[in-house]
Amino acid sequence: GQSRSEPSNKKFPENFRFGVATAAYQVEGGWADDGKGENIWDHYTHHQPDHIANNATGDVACDSYHKYMEDVEMLKNLGVNYYRFSLSWSRILPTGYTNQINEAGVTYYKNLISALKENGIEPFVTLYHWDLPQPLQEIGGWPNPLLEDNFAEYARTAFTLFGDDVKNWMTFNEPQQTCLFGYGLGATAPGASASGIGEYKCAYTIVKAHAKAYHIYDEEFRPTQNGRVSIVVDASWAEPGSDSDEDKEAAERLLQFSYGFYAHPIYHPDGNFPQVMIDRIADRSEKEGFPTSRLPELSTEEIEYIRGTFDFLCLNSYTTNMVKWTNDYAIGAPGYYADLSVSTYQDPSWNNSASGWLKVVPWGMRKLLNWVDQTYNHPEIVITENGFSDDGRLDDLTRINYYAEYLTSILEAVLEDGVNVTGYTAWSLMDNFQWNFGYLEKFGIYQVDFEDPDRTRTIKSSGEYYKSVIANKCLVDTCEE
Ligand code: PNW
């Protein structure tokens, strides 16, 4: 309901780490500067502008390509332990392939990384936050299994260039957003509509590409660089609509289709895609007249190669959905939602944000953390994104409440449930390009003035609050000692 609970007055453990996150396309701008190649978000915003609110683009965004020293000053002011940002593949390899390295792009990231380190801020680097080089889309993008090798070569290039200073790597950010929305539903770049087939082929490539990058790190870089590699998978908690066995089964099935699809092959001791997906998609494919399942099959060798390719678990989560059981959708055109066959809704009493999908449900975070802890054998978890959108006001009290309530729920999972969460990352350092929503939804703890050519940044009340949380490891004025 609308009621607010008091934030916890317990302290975070001494070794708990706090950070903030951004992503290259959302903040950098400089889309064609100094030899950068075109990627699928450049292409999509330029060629299908009607898919983006106000026809916005990331051409300039927060102009971090030029203003990164100011970003580092903000990070220093906040006192964060680490900064999670992503590399633009096309800025380093303009064609997507390793035939050509763009020295200016390499210099940009070297400068950013050394400025962070000089200020005692650890770089947490994502290799792929949705911005595939356009030439690799021209050969089909992620549903083409050959991209496994293109990604692996890009990863090796990044480990070689930056691995002496970067000790925490994430291969992919939220493959569900790439696969389901980009290649299934046609809602985000590259805008391919092939649901029931495209998202499954995409996931097959991505889990293998992740594993290959992990093995390359393990064999060629870990002995000298000694860092950690993982993948970021996003989840919304799925709460059964009632106590009935059907609704519980439906909620678990949604978690497996949305989160388990990408997490199970890597994080689960048995590896492979979730059995409920294998069974249901095979059954429906057969009834639809397909000779084999629309879900690609992982061979025994592939399952072995992929499972366990992580050094810690990275989780993004913002919200919760309620789930009700339904009859299986009628056999007809293939589709992800038909394969899944559940119905979801959000409780009208939950507090809103500026994003239609994002309702404030802090207790869902605690339940999700417990589910991940139990399902994947008590891994070390870093929350790599969590945050709240509004209209961009400086005095953003609803965002402070969101952070206080979600961090309370996380603290309870750690202290009372024994879940091994070691880090928390606020999305986002600053307002930025929010994909299809352009600049309408603001997630920053710093405001950015997008009317101002200088893209002036101003700290919000939530930024001051987060700063005090980091300094005191405490959510209220004074914590129990
Ligand atoms: C994340 N959901 O995407 C992305 O990693 C960020 O780049 C993005 O800016 C941020 O969320 C805010 O939109 C998500 O439906 C999109 O639960 C949707 C969901 C979760 C994450």
Side-chain angles (χ1 to χ4, degrees):
Q2 300 291 323
S3 67
R4 301 224 177 269
S5 51
E6 286 299 307
S8 173
N9 68 346
K10 304 263 180 359
K11 273 199 135 168
F12 281 84
E14 213 32 65
N15 62 354
F16 196 92
R17 292 282 170 268
F18 291 95
V20 290
T22 62
Y25 188 76
Q26 295 181 272
V27 300
E28 282 180 6
W31 82 276
D33 283 22
D34 302 338
K36 178 181 163 293
E38 185 190 37
N39 66 42
I40 58 173
W41 273 93
D42 296 318
H43 195 85
Y44 189 65
T45 57
H46 295 161
H47 294 269
Q48 300 189 59
D50 47 311
H51 288 225
I52 316 290
N54 294 332
N55 302 343
T57 74
D59 290 1
V60 180
C62 306
D63 201 24
S64 287
Y65 183 63
H66 299 108
K67 293 174 68 76
Y68 68 94
M69 284 305 292
E70 240 177 84
D71 298 345
V72 175
E73 282 305 313
M74 288 146 60
L75 294 159
K76 195 180 164 186
N77 177 48
L78 291 169
V80 293
N81 303 111
Y82 61 90
Y83 178 39
R84 176 175 177 240
F85 62 97
S86 79
L87 304 181
S88 163
W89 186 340
S90 309
R91 197 179 290 292
I92 298 169
L93 304 175
T95 65
Y97 302 92
T98 50
N99 64 318
Q100 197 189 322
I101 294 191
N102 179 30
E103 288 305 334
V106 174
T107 302
Y108 170 67
Y109 292 115
K110 290 227 166 180
N111 289 344
L112 171 60
I113 291 165
S114 52
L116 291 171
K117 296 207 54 130
E118 278 161 24
N119 287 286
I121 302 161
E122 272 298 312
F124 272 50
V125 177
T126 312
L127 290 172
Y128 185 78
H129 201 122
W130 309 0
D131 45 358
L132 186 70
Q134 185 63 25
L136 297 175
Q137 183 53 40
E138 301 295 344
I139 59 165
W142 291 111
N144 178 353
L146 295 174
L147 261 69
E148 175 186 345
D149 284 331
N150 299 113
F151 181 78
E153 285 161 21
Y154 161 54
R156 181 185 281 113
T157 305
F159 299 150
T160 305
L161 290 169
F162 310 116
D164 287 340
D165 290 317
V166 175
K167 302 301 162 193
N168 287 277
W169 292 99
M170 290 144 286
T171 54
F172 289 88
N173 179 69
E174 301 190 352
Q176 167 168 245
Q177 305 298 322
T178 294
C179 293
L180 179 58
F181 292 92
Y183 295 95
L185 306 176
T188 59
S193 299
S195 193
I197 295 173
E199 61 278 75
Y200 300 148
K201 288 186 184 291
C202 170
Y204 175 71
T205 311
I206 283 186
V207 295
K208 291 200 297 173
H210 159 80
K212 189 165 239 171
Y214 183 91
H215 286 295
I216 286 172
Y217 190 83
D218 222 29
E219 286 153 25
E220 301 172 28
F221 298 94
R222 191 189 298 278
T224 52
Q225 296 184 349
N226 206 18
R228 313 194 290 176
V229 181
S230 190
I231 181 171
V232 177
V233 187
D234 63 301
S236 299
W237 174 243
E239 177 71 10
S242 77
D243 275 344
S244 73
D245 289 344
E246 284 85 3
D247 287 350
K248 286 183 194 159
E249 186 187 319
E252 175 70 18
R253 192 195 303 159
L254 174 57
L255 284 168
Q256 294 298 343
F257 266 73
S258 57
Y259 183 80
F261 189 27
Y262 308 93
H264 198 285
I266 294 160
Y267 291 130
H268 196 281
D270 295 342
N272 205 359
F273 295 127
Q275 196 61 44
V276 66
M277 291 189 71
I278 294 171
D279 293 345
R280 289 183 67 87
I281 299 167
D283 177 57
R284 293 182 67 91
S285 299
E286 191 187 332
K287 289 175 180 153
E288 290 156 357
F290 287 91
T292 57
S293 179
R294 289 179 276 100
L295 181 67
E297 190 180 339
L298 290 170
S299 69
T300 310
E301 294 72 41
E302 286 172 333
I303 291 169
E304 287 298 311
Y305 186 73
I306 298 165
R307 67 173 191 162
T309 52
F310 68 99
D311 301 312
F312 59 115
L313 186 149
C314 298
L315 177 68
N316 288 2
S317 187
Y318 292 82
T319 195
T320 287
N321 294 298
M322 303 292 298
V323 191
K324 296 222 45 102
W325 187 88
T326 62
N327 289 326
D328 283 354
Y329 291 20
I331 297 296
Y336 169 84
Y337 286 114
D339 291 335
L340 170 58
S341 292
V342 300
S343 84
T344 65
Y345 61 97
Q346 291 181 308
D347 193 310
S349 75
W350 294 343
N351 287 331
N352 290 315
S353 69
S355 312
W357 54 273
L358 203 177
K359 305 286 187 256
V360 183
V361 195
W363 53 262
M365 178 62 101
R366 183 172 177 182
K367 289 197 180 196
L368 176 67
L369 287 170
N370 275 277
W371 183 88
V372 168
D373 178 72
Q374 281 154 28
T375 307
Y376 303 104
N377 215 357
H378 194 53
E380 178 189 344
I381 300 172
V382 173
I383 295 169
T384 35
E385 278 180 36
N386 174 245
F388 176 82
S389 60
D390 66 9
D391 59 7
R393 65 191 66 196
L394 283 176
D395 201 14
D396 53 343
L397 296 179
T398 45
R399 178 172 291 105
I400 292 179
N401 284 327
Y402 181 96
Y403 281 124
E405 292 183 351
Y406 270 74
L407 281 163
T408 294
S409 177
I410 291 160
L411 195 50
E412 287 167 353
V414 172
L415 299 179
E416 291 171 40
D417 309 333
V419 180
N420 186 20
V421 184
T422 61
Y424 176 85
T425 321
W427 181 274
S428 176
L429 170 62
M430 60 191 149
D431 298 338
N432 58 50
F433 177 80
Q434 280 298 315
W435 311 112
N436 297 61
F437 305 104
Y439 297 95
L440 294 183
E441 300 180 359
K442 317 284 193 178
F443 277 87
I445 59 176
Y446 272 79
Q447 183 186 73
V448 176
D449 183 353
F450 294 101
E451 305 297 312
D452 176 356
D454 203 33
R455 296 298 190 272
T456 304
R457 291 112 157 92
T458 311
I459 196 164
K460 300 182 188 178
S461 301
S462 60
E464 300 290 1
Y465 176 69
Y466 195 50
K467 180 177 175 172
S468 80
V469 170
I470 298 170
N472 304 318
K473 290 198 150 48
C474 167
L475 301 171
V476 292
D477 285 341
T478 35
C479 270
E480 271 177 18
E481 274 305 329

